[in-house]
Amino acid sequence: MAKVYVTRRERFNAAHKLWNPKWSEEKNFEIFGKCANENWHGHNYELFVTVKGQPDEDTGCIIDLKLLSVIINERVIDKLDHRNLNLDVPFMQGKMASTENLAVGIWGEIAESIKSHGCELHSVRVHETENNYAEYLGE
Ligand code: NI
């Protein structure tokens, strides 16, 4: 049977700061640039969640996209939207608030739930800006 990949996009706005306390101020700004700004800054994030599965005989779909949206919103968007990624988000505690770590963290929050609905999570892609995104495939 054909395996198909389906993607749902969600959006959230959040603040963060990239700062490594082991480094000097100079090195932090050299490595993280504007993302090291002391008093935080925000991004308009876009999240793309791709699931894979075989189309159901009765619906022709691999997952109800309304249901996928509910899973993503309840498990991650509600925890991320209009929050501070460094301070407010339980699954980001103790990690650098990078796009990479965000993608890995989001995977951990939704993978099981998607599986329980007969589908498999394929990738989590987080766009921080128009030009930069990180993608996690669960490896
Ligand atoms: Ni930033």
Side-chain angles (χ1 to χ4, degrees), residues 16 35 41 43 128:
H16 81 154
C35 282
H41 64 281
H43 291 284
E128 188 177 78

Side-chain angles (χ1 to χ4, degrees), residues 22-132:
K22 286 185 284 192
W23 297 342
S24 66
E25 188 175 325
E26 198 180 28
K27 183 161 182 186
N28 271 289
F29 278 104
E30 185 193 316
I31 301 293
F32 299 129
K34 285 180 179 174
C35 282
N37 180 51
E38 187 182 354
N39 292 323
W40 320 102
H41 64 281
H43 291 284
N44 298 319
Y45 289 94
E46 280 190 302
L47 167 62
F48 293 85
V49 172
T50 301
V51 299
K52 60 184 169 188
Q54 293 171 345
D56 178 82
E57 226 172 272
D58 294 325
T59 65
C61 300
I62 65 168
I63 193 169
D64 177 352
L65 282 172
K66 290 189 296 295
L67 172 66
L68 182 58
S69 177
V70 168
I71 293 170
I72 299 167
N73 274 279
E74 285 184 351
R75 294 183 174 265
V76 292
I77 301 296
D78 289 353
K79 296 173 188 167
L80 296 168
D81 193 34
H82 287 72
R83 309 288 176 145
N84 181 315
L85 301 180
N86 298 68
L87 303 177
D88 300 332
V89 181
F91 67 83
M92 291 300 288
Q93 289 301 305
K95 298 178 199 167
M96 295 291 288
S98 65
T99 319
E100 291 88 333
N101 284 341
L102 207 43
V104 175
I106 290 169
W107 178 287
E109 296 297 299
I110 61 174
E112 278 304 308
S113 182
I114 286 166
K115 204 167 199 175
S116 74
H117 291 283
C119 227
E120 205 182 326
L121 181 55
H122 172 66
S123 73
V124 169
R125 211 167 85 191
V126 181
H127 291 236
E128 188 177 78
T129 68
E130 272 178 39
N131 298 322
N132 299 334

